[in-house]
Amino acid sequence: MNLIVDSNDNGIRIDKYLASKLEFSRVAIQRMIDNGKILVNGDIPKDSYKVNIGDEIVITPEEIKEATLEAENIPLDIVYEDDDIVVVNKAKGLVVHPGNGNPNGTLVNAIMSYCKDSLSGIGGEIRPGIVHRIDKDTSGLLIIAKNDIAHINISEQIKNHEVKKIYRALVRGRIKENSGTINMPISRSLSDRTKMAVNKNGKEAITHFKVLKKYKEYTYIEVNIETGRTHQIRVHMAQIGFPLVGDSTYSNGKNPFNVSGQMLHSYKLEFIHPRNGKKMELKADIPEYFKNVIDRLDEEENS
C-alpha cells in the first residue's frame, strides 16, 4: 500500500497521519514502524517524524495469524474481571508471553485457558490480549484485553501516560532523600544488546520514587513511572547507585535474603475503564517472599 502526502497533511506526525488514512490505531502504527513495516521515501521513520508534501509512504500490512499456542491450566490470581478486561496479579517467575526459550508455561498460555476465545487479537499470534508487560521476575498487576476495543483504548491511555503505574521495590543502599525524580533517556545498550542503558540519544524515561522506609543498608521505596521503557525502574535505580535487590542484570545480584531476581512488584494501577469511563484503582499487596524480607529487615532494625 502506497500513500503520497499532499498539502493538506503537511507537518502532521506520521502516526496521526496514518491513523486518519488507515483503519489502524496509532499504537498499532508505531509498532509497525518499529517492525520496519512502514517506510518514508525508502527509510524507516522515527515515531516523531512529521510528514512533508510529496513524501511517499509504503505500508506493508502485518500478517494476521491465528493463535497456535496451547491453552494451559495454570493458576491465575484474578484481581478484577468484566466483559472487556481481566486484571491479574502475575506471580514472580512467570513469563508474560512465549519467546525464545519460553515456548509455553507463560501468562498467555494461562489466560488463553481462562478466557477461551475472549481475547483481543491486536497483540498478534503470541500476545493475544497482552496490552503491556512486566518482566519475568517482576510480580504484580497486569491488564489483559478481552476485545480489540478495550485493547486500543488501554493502549492509547498508556501511550498518553494516563495509566498510573505504582510499584514497590527494595533497593541496595540507604537513600538520603525522601523522594526524587529520575529523568534519563533509555535505549538498548550499545555494548550488550540484551540490556537496556541510559543513553542521551534514547527515548524519554521518567521515574518518580518516594521512600517508604530506610534501613541501614537498604531502602524500601514506592515508584511511579510516567513512561514504560523496558527495564526502566531497574536501569534508573542502578544508574543512581541503588540497584534492586536480587537484580543480576543491573547489579551483581548478591543479597543475604537468597532472593533470585529483582525485588519489584507492580502494586497499583489507575486507569479509565475502556467502555464505561469509570476510574479504576486496583491494588495487589506484595508477595509473601517480599513481605518476609521486609519483616526480617524490620526485626533487625528493632533488635
Side-chain angles (χ1 to χ4, degrees), residues 234-272:
R234 298 164 63 190
V235 171
H236 271 174
M237 296 311 299
Q239 183 70 24
I240 65 171
F242 299 98
L244 272 62
V245 171
D247 191 342
S248 59
T249 302
Y250 299 103
S251 72
N252 59 22
K254 293 181 179 179
N255 60 82
F257 315 109
N258 294 319
V259 171
S260 176
Q262 65 275 1
M263 289 189 65
L264 181 63
H265 177 72
S266 176
Y267 169 71
K268 182 167 72 171
L269 286 175
E270 295 180 15
F271 59 97
I272 302 301

Side-chain angles (χ1 to χ4, degrees), residues 110-160:
I111 207 71
M112 285 176 66
S113 174
Y114 183 81
C115 292
K116 310 302 181 189
D117 296 329
S118 298
L119 286 171
S120 76
I122 291 176
E125 182 182 10
I126 64 170
R127 304 183 189 186
I130 301 300
V131 185
H132 62 123
R133 62 183 293 276
I134 52 180
D135 298 331
K136 172 185 176 182
D137 288 323
T138 299
S139 58
L141 297 175
L142 198 66
I143 305 170
I144 308 295
K146 284 188 170 183
N147 53 64
D148 289 358
I149 292 174
H151 194 129
I152 291 170
N153 184 285
I154 297 295
S155 294
E156 287 289 334
Q157 289 187 56
I158 291 173
K159 175 181 173 295
N160 295 328

